Amino acid sequence: EALNDPKIAVGVCSASTKAAVTKVLDVTLGEERRNKLDVCILGDDVSKLKPDPLIYVTASERLSIDPSLCVVVEDSMVGLRAAKGAGMKCLITYTKSTEGEDFYGNGADAKVPELKSAGVTLDKIFGPMKEKGVDAEILSGVKDDVVVA
């Protein structure tokens, strides 16, 4: 959906090497869709890796987009720390092995098990930000509840 929306910039920021990421993206997206990415910053492109925010700061600079307007989709605590350190919102997609981690306690803006099955859409991510500003809550009614232990 996002790759086909000219108003949304889409990128990949991974600590992996270009060769490894290209293989994975070609399998998951296909070469044609991979080539539509607006930015692709990889481990060999930056001097510091996640949890340092450099990879996300570099992406926002290359896209000329204020970090507060960016929403990162991450699957790890290390990635969450990098996104938040860059001043970006962060949506966590977790797995069975990471679902017990305290993502909300570490600043996640939303947490879902899987984007499609959770009903995540671009409008549910960016709609509130367009209507209420960059501090708006994203994925209200869709994201997992905050559980206080």
Side-chain angles (χ1 to χ4, degrees):
E1 178 184 11
L3 284 172
N4 295 322
D5 189 330
K7 296 176 188 169
I8 304 285
V10 179
V12 170
C13 296
S14 173
S16 296
T17 64
K18 183 176 183 174
V21 171
T22 300
K23 282 182 184 179
V24 170
L25 291 176
D26 283 351
V27 169
T28 56
L29 296 177
E31 184 179 358
E32 182 181 333
R33 291 177 69 209
R34 176 180 55 83
N35 288 326
K36 289 183 178 182
L37 291 171
D38 297 288
V39 68
C40 191
I41 312 286
L42 305 172
D44 23 22
D45 295 327
V46 292
S47 59
K48 296 178 185 172
L49 300 178
K50 300 173 190 176
D52 190 281
L54 180 62
I55 199 161
Y56 289 124
V57 170
T58 302
S60 70
E61 287 173 353
R62 288 195 189 166
L63 293 168
S64 298
I65 296 175
D66 185 295
S68 68
L69 299 174
C70 298
V71 177
V72 174
V73 178
E74 263 294 348
D75 64 355
S76 70
M77 193 66 75
V78 170
L80 168 62
R81 290 185 181 122
K84 298 310 286 184
M88 300 175 177
K89 287 193 179 291
C90 188
L91 161 58
I92 292 290
T93 60
Y94 58 88
T95 63
K96 283 277 187 210
S97 64
T98 62
E99 69 181 325
E101 292 189 34
D102 187 14
F103 292 113
Y104 284 129
N106 282 275
D109 296 281
K111 176 181 120 171
V112 297
E114 200 266 332
L115 298 176
K116 191 172 185 176
S117 65
V120 175
T121 64
L122 288 176
D123 187 57
K124 288 178 182 172
I125 296 172
F126 293 105
M129 294 171 69
K130 288 178 187 173
E131 292 173 22
K132 299 176 185 171
V134 296
D135 293 327
E137 179 183 1
I138 61 171
L139 297 177
S140 180
V142 175
K143 66 183 178 182
D144 287 10
D145 292 329
V146 177
V147 178
V148 180

